[in-house]
């Protein structure tokens, strides 16, 4: 005879959930329409989300229109090889994905982080399988004090929990208070974050010789994650891979805030 306790517990749990669902009904992560459960998109928003799929550049993770052959690299990877080994992103940074990022970053929608991280795990499965530790792109302490949270750390914490990996939020520090990247051109972004990051001596043991999975919300031009990857390698990391929720695809970058962050 089957044990009735699991069913009773399930019913009790659902009953306890009802007041919360009535007071705080789940809403679409993209437009805030009511949906059946937290963390899902409504029927109108889901088709507007562009998931990044293979075939893609094995280094940069940028999608190809068709399969180019094993090991074929994008022009970006050949012309400007990055200091990290591989980069992957879950979705293209447009429409619904842009609203989700901005909700997390500017509207304190930290509740979105675990759901965004689930899509990141799908895109970065090969990176997570080989990673030793998860590290977020850090905020300068003054900016953290004003904002009270780091959106990259929220995503990294969720990725580490879902992927079963150690989380090292203090492995790298932002030692220079940089300008906001919004509104800056590519070269200005690179100069803005030059020498802005450092691995503190007490944190070197966390990354020494390890494969680091670096987490950020958006890969725009790559200036920030390149600077952090250089700092991590200088601090003793064996290799660095990059995983972001969204990616500004080549040809889509514009410096103005309406287009990207």
């Amino acid at each position: 005879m089957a044990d009735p306790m699991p069913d009773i517990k399930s019913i009790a749990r659902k009953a306890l959930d009802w007041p919360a669902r009535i007071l705080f009904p789940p809403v679409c992560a993209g437009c805030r329409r009511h949906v059946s459960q937290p963390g899902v998109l409504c029927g109108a928003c889901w088709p507007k989300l562009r998931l990044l799929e293979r075939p893609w550049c094995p280094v940069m993770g940028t999608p190809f229109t068709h399969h180019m052959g094993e090991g074929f690299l994008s022009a970006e990877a050949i012309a400007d090889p990055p200091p990290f080994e591989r980069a992957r992103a879950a979705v293209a940074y447009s429409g619904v994905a842009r609203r989700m990022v901005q909700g997390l970053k500017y509207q304190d929608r930290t509740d979105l982080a675990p759901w965004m991280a689930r899509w990141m795990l799908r895109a970065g499965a090969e990176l997570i399988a080989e990673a030793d530790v998860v590290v977020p792109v850090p905020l300068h302490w003054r900016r953290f004090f004003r904002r009270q949270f780091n959106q990259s750390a929220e995503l990294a914490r969720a990725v580490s929990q879902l992927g079963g990996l150690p989380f090292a939020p203090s492995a790298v520090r932002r030692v220079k208070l940089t300008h906001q990247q919004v509104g800056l051109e590519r070269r200005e972004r690179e100069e803005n974050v030059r020498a802005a990051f450092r691995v503190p001596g007490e944190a070197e043991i966390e990354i020494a010789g390890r494969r680091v999975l670096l987490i950020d919300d958006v890969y725009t031009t790559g200036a920030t994650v390149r600077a952090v990857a250089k700092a991590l390698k200088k601090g003793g990391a064996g290799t660095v891979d990059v995983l972001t929720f969204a990616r500004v695809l080549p040809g889509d970058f514009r410096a103005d805030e309406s287009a990207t962050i």
Side-chain angles (χ1 to χ4, degrees):
M1 181 176 175
D3 182 3
M5 287 303 294
D7 290 336
I8 294 173
K9 289 178 181 178
S10 177
I11 292 170
R13 191 178 300 112
K14 289 179 180 178
L16 291 172
D17 284 344
W18 268 108
R21 291 177 70 87
I22 293 171
L23 292 173
F24 306 103
V27 295
C28 172
C31 69
R32 302 187 69 82
R33 290 189 181 96
H34 287 177
V35 290
S36 60
Q37 57 185 321
V40 302
L41 296 175
C42 68
C45 286
W46 176 250
K48 299 175 184 177
L49 188 74
R50 180 184 174 186
L51 298 174
L52 298 184
E53 308 273 5
R54 286 184 174 85
W56 52 37
C57 171
V59 173
M60 303 306 300
T62 47
F64 295 136
T65 55
H66 57 277
H67 185 61
M68 306 293 286
E70 192 67 28
F72 187 90
L73 299 180
S74 63
E76 180 184 8
I78 296 171
D80 189 16
F84 51 79
E85 275 58 49
R86 296 169 293 181
R88 299 289 185 268
V91 298
Y93 185 66
S94 62
V96 174
R98 181 188 298 143
R99 291 198 294 273
M100 292 176 70
V101 169
Q102 292 178 342
L104 172 63
K105 191 167 186 174
Y106 298 121
Q107 299 166 22
D108 297 341
R109 291 290 311 281
T110 54
D111 59 293
L112 293 176
W115 307 102
M116 295 163 74
R118 292 179 189 277
W119 285 325
M120 293 168 69
L121 257 68
R122 175 182 177 274
E126 58 184 325
L127 278 58
I128 291 165
E130 299 174 15
D132 297 315
V133 61
V134 176
V135 174
V137 170
L139 284 179
H140 190 271
W141 67 268
R142 291 184 182 176
R143 191 159 289 147
F144 181 85
F145 182 77
R146 290 197 301 269
R147 191 178 292 174
Q148 297 297 307
F149 75 97
N150 175 5
Q151 75 280 354
S152 299
E154 294 299 318
L155 291 171
R157 182 181 292 107
V159 167
S160 72
Q161 291 173 347
L162 292 169
L165 293 168
F167 177 46
S170 302
V172 61
R173 291 179 184 166
R174 191 182 292 248
V175 295
K176 184 174 77 172
L177 183 58
T178 56
H179 298 292
Q180 290 280 3
Q181 295 281 65
V182 175
L184 300 181
E185 299 292 343
R186 289 176 185 270
R187 293 304 175 190
E188 292 174 322
R189 286 171 178 250
E190 292 171 4
E191 188 58 36
N192 187 39
V193 295
R194 192 182 306 279
F197 305 96
R198 178 173 59 83
V199 174
E202 65 271 19
E204 290 179 359
I205 192 171
E206 295 184 280
I207 63 167
R210 295 183 173 181
R211 182 179 286 276
V212 174
L213 182 61
L214 180 62
I215 303 293
D216 204 1
D217 53 351
V218 183
Y219 186 112
T220 306
T221 65
T224 300
V225 293
R226 284 171 179 263
V228 180
K230 288 178 182 178
L232 285 166
K233 286 194 170 182
K234 187 176 180 180
T239 59
V240 179
D241 289 322
V242 174
L243 179 60
T244 63
F245 171 68
R247 172 73 188 260
V248 177
L249 297 178
D252 290 348
F253 172 69
R254 289 170 52 196
D256 61 280
E257 186 173 0
S258 64
T260 186
I261 292 177

